[in-house]
Amino acid sequence: MSRLLIVEDEPHIASGLRFNLEAEGHEVLVVEDGEAALRLIVEQPTLIDAMILDIMLPGMDGFAVAAALRARAWLHPILMLTARGRAEDVLRGFEAGADDYLPKPFDLSILVARLHALLRRQGWKLAPPPPDEFTFAGKTVDFAAQELRVGAEVHPLTLMETNLLRYLVRHDGQTVSRKRLLEEVWNVREDTDTRAIDHFMSRLRKYVEPAPDQPKHLLTVRGVGYRFESSPGSKAP
Ligand code: CA
């Protein structure tokens, strides 16, 4: 059982979601706008295990809500509801800190499956973590705890930032295209060359690189994508 927050202003969608998620044994709260969602989580940060967040809301939109929550280090799963066929919504949602998305109209059984996948991963995070770390150049990525430690500093990471770092670490020394990153990390099929990943990279660089303008580990490969180098200079480029 998880405690879920639905942020949705269309009553028939909200009640359909509530009905189905309660039938799955979850406790469900519904709010109709982003301000109410934010207020609830600021007042009780540990109340909610995961959020289903619509983008089109009165007042603050879903992007702003996700970004505000991540800025407050609320790192629970966010499943965003996007308009069909709008890849830019999907990418903007991920930039704002969403962990997954579903285009509207959606199949409820798929929503439940996606949500459970997110909660399962979150559960692994909350369980006593197995050693799941990678250390390079005095920095440690703790994948289980979703954090990056640099000396005494601890930077919390979203699930997507963690997944991106994990992918890059696994492909240490290899150039990976933006398209491949989108497909394999975000599960987004997108034919156009997108800059959405650049936002994640610049954020990660702030943590990882002593001089983010002259990166040594998270390298841009012009016209292609990115390459992670755990020990730069140790092998031919
Ligand atoms: Ca709406």
Side-chain angles (χ1 to χ4, degrees):
M1 194 278 284
S2 295
R3 214 177 277 131
L4 309 173
L5 179 64
I6 297 169
V7 189
E8 170 61 84
D9 58 318
E10 288 167 70
H12 70 284
I13 296 181
S15 62
L17 280 172
R18 180 202 284 273
F19 180 82
N20 279 272
L21 293 169
E22 284 178 349
E24 294 288 327
H26 300 296
E27 198 176 309
V28 179
L29 298 170
V30 176
V31 294
E32 291 175 11
D33 62 64
E35 286 84 355
L38 213 51
R39 214 160 38 236
L40 187 86
I41 285 178
V42 167
E43 281 166 13
Q44 299 180 74
T46 58
L47 181 70
I48 302 299
D49 300 310
M51 180 181 296
I52 297 166
L53 177 61
D54 190 29
I55 290 178
M56 296 293 288
L57 294 166
M60 227 178 156
D61 67 16
F63 301 122
V65 174
L69 289 169
R70 295 318 191 199
R72 290 164 191 277
W74 191 81
L75 299 171
H76 291 270
I78 298 177
L79 175 64
M80 206 169 245
L81 303 178
T82 69
R84 180 182 286 282
R86 300 231 328 162
E88 66 212 76
D89 279 359
V90 173
L91 298 171
R92 251 186 98 191
F94 283 137
E95 278 183 30
D99 295 300
D100 201 358
Y101 72 97
L102 262 188
K104 280 180 165 181
F106 50 82
D107 185 302
L108 272 164
S109 60
I110 293 192
L111 181 135
V112 168
R114 293 275 191 94
L115 186 69
H116 283 171
L118 288 175
L119 287 166
R120 212 158 44 235
R121 283 188 275 170
Q122 184 75 3
W124 297 336
K125 184 195 157 197
L126 297 175
D132 185 12
E133 297 186 344
F134 182 79
T135 299
F136 66 102
K139 304 154 206 8
T140 298
V141 193
D142 186 332
F143 295 107
Q146 285 183 213
E147 62 190 30
L148 183 85
R149 295 193 293 269
V150 184
E153 288 171 44
V154 178
H155 303 286
L157 303 170
T158 67
L159 191 57
M160 274 302 163
E161 289 165 348
T162 308
N163 289 347
L164 175 59
L165 262 178
R166 189 193 297 273
Y167 189 86
L168 291 168
V169 164
R170 277 190 188 148
H171 296 84
D172 192 358
Q174 299 169 27
T175 298
V176 287
S177 68
R178 287 197 183 82
K179 186 165 186 290
R180 202 167 133 207
L181 285 172
L182 267 184
E183 288 187 4
E184 298 192 16
V185 179
W186 280 269
N187 208 17
V188 174
R189 305 264 176 268
E190 176 63 26
D191 287 331
T192 59
D193 179 33
T194 176
R195 317 300 292 183
I197 291 166
D198 302 0
H199 163 89
F200 282 84
M201 287 296 174
S202 57
R203 196 171 135 97
L204 291 178
R205 274 183 186 140
K206 279 188 207 139
Y207 303 154
V208 166
E209 305 284 357
D213 294 344
Q214 293 159 297
K216 290 185 164 54
H217 300 288
L218 292 169
L219 307 174
T220 300
V221 182
R222 193 179 290 256
V224 184
Y226 290 98
R227 188 173 69 245
F228 172 71
E229 295 276 3
S230 61
S231 38
S234 69
K235 44 186 152 332

